Every structure is written in C-alpha cells, then in structure tokens.
C-alpha cells in the first residue's frame, strides 16, 4: 500500500535487503567517514517505515480481534439455534 502525503507519494516500502545492502557515499576530500546527512536521511526513512509497520500491525491486530469476536458470537448463536 503506497500512501500519498502532502508532499507527494511516499517511496516504495523498505525491505530488509534495502537496509542490509545500503551503501553510503564517503565524505569529501580531507574528511573521513560517511556523509552524515545521507545517513540521517536514511535513518529517518527507516524510522518512518517502522512506525508505519507498527501502525499496520496494531490495526491488523484490532481487526483480527474483531473478526474473532464476530466468529465467536456467530458460533454461539448457531449453537443456541441447534439447542432450540
């Protein structure tokens, strides 16, 4: 599911391989390490993706509980009808 935002559509969902295989640019001449802004942008994207996934899991858990309650209610109603 690709949700649109005020700024346009969101990038495609991250997969574990995207995180595992991510390569960052090295910083310019005279400095060592990775570009801090690039790393921060990627970490922000990972955090947003995780937040979305946690929301999806919570929503699906609620839906699952609702469906289980409805099934139990239906089964109880069916059992009562058979007893009548």
């Amino acid at each position: 599911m690709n949700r649109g935002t005020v700024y346009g559509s969101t990038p495609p969902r991250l997969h574990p391989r995207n995180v595992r295989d991510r390569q960052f640019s090295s910083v310019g001449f005279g400095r060592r390490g990775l570009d801090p802004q690039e790393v921060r942008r990627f970490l922000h994207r990972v955090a947003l993706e995780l937040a979305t996934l946690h929301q999806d899991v919570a929503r699906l858990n609620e839906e699952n509980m609702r469906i289980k309650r409805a099934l139990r209610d239906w089964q109880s109603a069916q059992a009562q009808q058979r007893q009548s």
Side-chain angles (χ1 to χ4, degrees), residues 63-79:
E63 183 177 353
N64 187 31
M65 289 185 340
R66 183 187 58 78
I67 290 170
K68 284 180 178 180
R69 270 193 308 272
L71 178 59
R72 277 194 305 271
D73 292 347
W74 180 83
Q75 287 172 330
S76 294
Q78 293 298 310

Side-chain angles (χ1 to χ4, degrees), residues 51-64:
T52 299
L53 292 172
H54 283 282
Q55 290 172 350
D56 289 348
V57 167
R59 182 183 50 79
L60 291 170
N61 282 334
E62 288 174 11
E63 183 177 353
N64 187 31

Side-chain angles (χ1 to χ4, degrees), residues 34-48:
L34 302 173
D35 181 354
Q37 287 182 330
E38 186 179 356
V39 172
R40 275 194 298 276
R41 279 193 303 270
F42 185 74
L43 291 176
H44 182 69
R45 180 174 175 207
V46 170
L48 288 174

